[in-house]
Amino acid sequence: MITAALMSIGDELALGQIVDTNAAWLAEQLAARSIACVEHITVADERSRIAAAIERLCGDPNVGLLIITGGIGPTVDDLTRDALADAMGEPLVEDPAGIMHLEIWFAGRGSPMPERNRVQALRPESGRLLPNRVGTAPGLAAMHHDTTVFVLPGVPREMMTMFEEQVLPRLDVEEQQVIRTGIVRCFGLGESALAARLGDLMRRDRNPTVGTTASQAIISCRIRAVGDPKWCDRAIEEAAAEIEQRAGVYAFGRDDETLAGAVVRELVRRSETVAVAESCTGGLLGSMITEVAGSSAAFLGGWLTYTNEMKTREIGVPAGHFGSGAAGAVSVEVATDMAQGARRKAGADHALAITGIAGPDGGTEAKPVGTVFIALDSAGHDTQVRRFQFTGDRAGVRDRSAKAALAMLLWRLRGCEDLDMLWQKTNGESVSRPSS
Amino acid sequence: MITAALMSIGDELALGQIVDTNAAWLAEQLAARSIACVEHITVADERSRIAAAIERLCGDPNVGLLIITGGIGPTVDDLTRDALADAMGEPLVEDPAGIMHLEIWFAGRGSPMPERNRVQALRPESGRLLPNRVGTAPGLAAMHHDTTVFVLPGVPREMMTMFEEQVLPRLDVEEQQVIRTGIVRCFGLGESALAARLGDLMRRDRNPTVGTTASQAIISCRIRAVGDPKWCDRAIEEAAAEIEQRAGVYAFGRDDETLAGAVVRELVRRSETVAVAESCTGGLLGSMITEVAGSSAAFLGGWLTYTNEMKTREIGVPAGHFGSGAAGAVSVEVATDMAQGARRKAGADHALAITGIAGPDGGTEAKPVGTVFIALDSAGHDTQVRRFQFTGDRAGVRDRSAKAALAMLLWRLRGCEDLDMLWQKTNGESVSRPSS
C-alpha cells in the first residue's frame, strides 16, 4: 500500500496568516483512494529548508508519494522549483513546451508573457512539467530516491483541478486495498466515560480502529478500516452498530448528522411538531433546528423572550415569578411555564424552553454563571425540567444549552428520557412536573 | 531571534477529516511576539513517527522552540507523552501534583477520577507538567537538545488558554523589534470593490502592509507593522483610520468586532432597543445579537414565525397575504408587516424582520432560492424593505440574511441608510413604506 506525505510551502502559511486547507483536502482525497498520509509539513519560503524537507521525506522508506503545494509562482519568493532541483542534485532546465504553454496562456488574455513568468517553465532535468489548464503555474512531476514527487500550485482551485487531472491518472492505485472511514456522533457524556463504554473497540491493533475526538461537546467516534472495499464497508457498519450499542442513546447519529438533524428526522417520521421558547440562548436553539433542510415539516416557530415582560405577555409566565423573594427568571418554575406556554400557544406536540445565565455577568452564589434550566413539555407527558451547570464562556454555555435541549427531546422521542446527562445538577429540582 | 516549529498530532488531522486551525493560530501569536515559525508538521497517531519528528526538530539548530498540540488525552490513541519520553530517552514518571490536579478537577464535577485519566499525570523524568485550568489534560514542558518543548492539548479553547497562561510567560521574548497586527472589518461590498477603495494602501512594499481576506461575507483588512513597538501601534492606528475613511460605513468595526457587536454597542450608547421577527433564519439573527455579552440592555426579544399561522396570530400579519394570488410569505408586504408587528408588540425602538427562501427547496421562477426580504422598522422612520438575491447554500443564505439585517440597522443608526448593499436587487420593491 502506498503511503504519502504532504508539503505546503509559504510564509503566509508558516506565519499563520492563512489556514492551510489544501493539506486536509489532499489527505482526504488520498485516503479515499487507499493512500494513507503519514505526515503533512508546512515550510516557510526558505530554499534550504524546503530542500532539506524534500530530501528527508524522499529518503524515508515509508513515503512512496510526496505532494508539494505552493511556491511555483513567478516571483522571487517562489522557491519550490529551485529547492526540488537542489534536493535532486540536478540543474533546472527550461522546458520549451512550458514556454509555449505560458505564451499561449497570456496570448489568450491579450497580453505578452511578462519576462518574470519565464521561470515557471523551469524543471529539474529528469523531471517533467504538468500542464495547468486554470492558471499560469505548470506543475512538476519527478522521481527522487524511489519516491514520486508532484508539485502543484498553492491556489486551492488550481491545486484541486491539477490533482484530479494530472496527479490521479499517474497514481498507481491498488484497488484491492482501501481505507474507509465512518463516524458515530455522541452527546451528553464525557469522552473518558465514552471510552470506558467502548473498551476493547479502541485497541490500537484492531482493524478497524476506533478513535474519539471531542469538539463543542460532540464526541466523534472515528472508525477506520483497511482492506478489501466490500470487507471495509461491512466492517465499518459492524463497528458503528457495536459503538451505537455500547454508547446507547448517547449516540445520536452517524457521519455528518447533527443533534438537530436527528431530532428533525425523528419528528418528521412521527409527524410531530416542536416549538421553542428561548431566553439566554436568544434564538440559537431555533437556529440549530432550522439549519436542517426540511425542518419546516416539524418546526412551528418560537418566542425569544429575553425580557421578563416578554415571558409574561407572550407566553403567559406569571409575573409573580419575577417578584422579590419569588423563584426568579432562572428557575424550574419559569422554565416549566415557558415550555407549557410555548406548546399551548404554538399548538405543537413538543416545546423546549431554555432560561439561564450565559455570563459573563449575572451570576449569583446560588445561581452562578452557567446555571441553566431546560424544560421539555410534550402532549401526554409530565413536563421534564433539568438543571444544568455548564462550564466555559458565554458562547460555550449557550451552545451546550441548545444542544442539551435537543438531546432531551431526542431521548424522549427514543424512549430513554430518564438518562443522566453530563453537566446535569441532580439536586431535586430536575424533576418532572405535570403539564398544565 | 528565536525561531519555532509547530507539531500537530492526530489521525483526524493527518487523514484530513478536520482542518488544523491550531497551527495557524499559534504561528500568528508567535509572529506577533517576533518568533518566526519555520515549519509546521502534522503527524498521525503513531508513536514512532511522533518520536522521530520530535528528535529531528529538537536536533535542528534553527529550532529553539517546539510547540506540540494534541495527543495528551486519557485514551490509548493519545501517544504524545510516550513519544516525547522516547525521543528524550527518559522514562515517564507519575507526577504527584498532576494526580492532585486531576482529582480536584473531577471532584469539582462531583465524580471520582476515572482510572484511565491517571496517565495524564505522567511526564518525562526531567520535564514538568503545566496546569490546565480549563480541562483535564495537563500540558508538558521539557528541554531536549537545547530546544524548549511545550506540549498543549489539541482542543483549541484549552490550547489557547494554556498558551497564554503557561507558555507565553516562559518565553524569552525580545522586545525591540516586534510584529503588530490590526484588523478593520467590512461588510456589504465585494472584496475587489473594497480593494479599489483601498488603492495604494495595499502595496506590498509598504510598512505597515494591508491585505484583505474574506470569510462568510465579512472582509477583513489585515494590517501588519514591523518595527519599534510604539511606532507599530501608532502606524496601525493611522492605517486603520485611513481604511475606515476609505471604506466608509461598509467598515463596521476593528479586530474581533462582529456586526451584532457593533449594533448592540450603538444601541446601548443611544439607550435604544430592538426586537426581531424571523422566518427563514429561524433564530439566527436573535442568536447573533444575544451572542454579544451585555446584549440584554438592547435586545427585548422576538418571534420565530416559521409558519404563516404564527405570522398572523403572533405578530398580526394579515392572513390575506398568504391566499392564492396574494403577495405570499416571501414578499415586501409580509416583511413590512412582520417588522411593524414585532416592533409594536415588543414596544421596541427598532425591529428587524426576515422572510425568504433559504433552500434547497421552495424556490420558484419569480422567487428563486436565495430570495430574501428584510425589513427595518424604527420609531419616526418609514419602514425600509430591501430585496436580496443571495447565492450559496442554505447555511450561506441564512448567514448573509442575518448579517444584512444587522447592517441595515447599523447603517440607519450611523445615518447612512440609503447605501446600496451587495446582493441587493434594486427592482423597485426595495423601497421605504410608511410605518403604521
Side-chain angles (χ1 to χ4, degrees), chain A residues 40 42 282 286 290 302 304 394 398, chain B residues 40 42 282 286 290 302 304 394 398:
Chain A
H40 311 167
T42 302
T290 56
L304 312 183
R394 182 177 178 90
R398 286 161 42 93
Chain B
H40 310 168
T42 303
T290 56
L304 312 183
R394 181 179 179 87
R398 287 161 41 94

Side-chain angles (χ1 to χ4, degrees), chain B residues 124-148:
Chain B
E125 197 160 31
S126 71
R128 53 177 299 175
L129 291 183
L130 302 175
N132 179 346
R133 206 168 44 74
V134 289
T136 59
L140 292 166
M143 180 65 85
H144 183 44
H145 297 316
D146 294 331
T147 297
T148 307

Side-chain angles (χ1 to χ4, degrees), chain B residues 292-372:
Chain B
V292 182
S295 51
S296 57
F299 183 65
L300 298 183
W303 289 263
L304 312 183
T305 53
Y306 220 53
T307 61
N308 293 342
E309 294 69 37
M310 291 268 297
K311 290 183 183 72
T312 299
R313 210 169 49 218
E314 297 303 321
I315 48 175
V317 177
H321 286 332
F322 306 117
S324 76
V330 178
S331 64
V332 69
E333 290 81 356
V334 168
T336 305
D337 290 340
M338 283 172 70
Q340 293 179 355
R343 192 169 80 78
R344 195 175 54 243
K345 283 204 77 180
D349 298 302
H350 308 273
L352 286 165
I354 303 176
T355 179
I357 302 157
D361 303 317
T364 64
E365 203 172 325
K367 292 172 187 170
V369 168
T371 300
V372 178

Side-chain angles (χ1 to χ4, degrees), chain A residues 13-14 17 27 39-42 49 56 202 204 224 282-283 286-287 290 301-302 304 313-314 345 394 398, chain B residues 13-15 27 39-42 45 49 56 60 76 224 282-283 286-287 290 301-302 304 313-314 345 394 398:
Chain A
L13 295 170
Q17 291 168 332
E39 182 176 321
H40 311 167
I41 178 168
T42 302
R49 280 202 83 85
R56 175 176 66 82
M202 293 188 72
R204 298 295 298 166
R224 183 170 182 267
S287 179
T290 56
L304 312 183
R313 210 170 50 220
E314 296 303 322
K345 281 202 80 181
R394 182 177 178 90
R398 286 161 42 93
Chain B
L13 296 169
L15 286 172
E39 182 177 322
H40 310 168
I41 178 169
T42 303
D45 293 319
R49 281 200 84 85
R56 174 177 67 83
D60 183 332
V76 287
R224 185 168 181 270
S287 179
T290 56
L304 312 183
R313 210 169 49 218
E314 297 303 321
K345 283 204 77 180
R394 181 179 179 87
R398 287 161 41 94

Side-chain angles (χ1 to χ4, degrees), chain A residues 187 249 251-253 257-276 285-286 288-290 292-295 297-299 350-352 376 402-414 421:
Chain A
F187 177 83
V249 80
F252 64 83
E257 183 64 300
T258 59
L259 270 168
V263 165
V264 167
R265 270 169 272 287
E266 193 74 42
L267 287 172
V268 169
R269 200 178 61 75
R270 298 160 159 249
S271 307
E272 293 179 357
T273 57
V274 66
V276 300
L285 174 59
M288 284 183 182
I289 295 171
T290 56
V292 182
S295 52
F299 183 65
H350 307 273
L352 286 165
L376 165 61
K403 286 174 177 163
L406 290 168
M408 281 173 64
L409 176 52
L410 186 64
W411 293 3
R412 172 164 284 180
L413 295 172
R414 293 187 176 169
M421 209 181 294

